[in-house]
Amino acid sequence: MWELDADLVALSVIFSWHAPLAREIALRMKNRAEVWCGGPGMFALASWWRKETCLETVRGLDDRFDKQRGRYDMTFASRGCPVNCSFCIVPRLEGTHFTFDPDFIPAPKLCDNNLSALPADYQDHIIERYRAYHQPLVDANSGFEPRYFTEETYQRWKPLLDETRAYWRFALDETRELEDVRCMMTILKEVSPSRKRVYCLVGNEPIQACYERAMKIIEWGGEPFCQFLLPLNWLGDAKKVKSRYDWTSYQQGRDFCRYFNRYGWRSYPIWHYQNRKNEPPPFAFLCPKTWQG
Ligand code: SF4
């Protein structure tokens, strides 16, 4: 790449921990080419980028590219999300009101943030467009928000998702969402657990609460996909992740996620989980015998 005689280098950074690599490219190329840099990973790194490269980032959605028509692997039919979860970049990047792109070109992966909260007629429009383009929907990547999910939502999306056996994706990120998720699980009761992929944020509540959320997902017939909470400006240094509540380190959070994401829960309880032979099981204290004294 360094040999290319480029006039322009456009960097799109999806995750903030890829920003150091973008910096390396920018520093090597900026005397030979114009450098643009943007993407969600750069949203909270504007001052860092300026300090490191003496360049500016493009913050938020970039109108020059956002509605670029073509056949891509991923697409958005809407942007924004009204739920405004404190830990999520979407409301900051795309706004707390939906904006619509009714002329979107359907693609295998639909990345809209919150399909169930969209107006019903716009959900119908998205599905009709997939039908008109004969485009299978392989993954509704951000999925559905339980608070807005109804039997009607299920019946609306079921034929499209069933065709490809796509996941029903939703989230149980905070304890206060338990009841909404339980209701959604009831609506989805006939769907096999392996098709109910439930994001489960970890590190944002005490360990016991995160554990109980993940186990509720399993108990109600889904499969948890755990993600440890990271700051929006995280550059990839594990030591710089501040632990909250009784979490002691980023490594501990990763271990917790690994146990669930690699299906350890199918074979043994988390208090028997041991990722490194020379260290004690990191979650032995979650054994009911331990915490009941
Ligand atoms: S519902 Fe999902 S997309 Fe919307 S703010 Fe919360 S986490 Fe973000």
Side-chain angles (χ1 to χ4, degrees), residues 208 211 269-271 283-293:
Q208 179 77 36
Y211 172 68
I270 196 169
W271 44 91
F283 302 105
F285 60 90
L286 285 173
C287 175
K289 283 186 197 150
T290 309
W291 51 265
Q292 281 167 9

Side-chain angles (χ1 to χ4, degrees), residues 211-258:
Y211 172 68
E212 282 172 15
R213 265 190 287 121
M215 294 306 290
K216 279 288 172 204
I217 292 167
I218 296 165
E219 181 188 323
W220 289 336
E223 295 193 342
F225 184 78
C226 295
Q227 296 174 303
F228 195 72
L229 180 65
L230 292 167
L232 297 178
N233 60 355
W234 187 55
L235 292 171
D237 184 346
K239 294 195 195 86
K240 294 209 169 146
V241 178
K242 275 195 197 145
S243 303
R244 299 168 68 194
Y245 303 102
D246 50 349
W247 293 93
T248 54
S249 65
Y250 174 56
Q251 184 59 56
Q252 188 189 30
R254 288 189 61 180
D255 284 344
F256 185 97
C257 295
R258 193 173 284 137

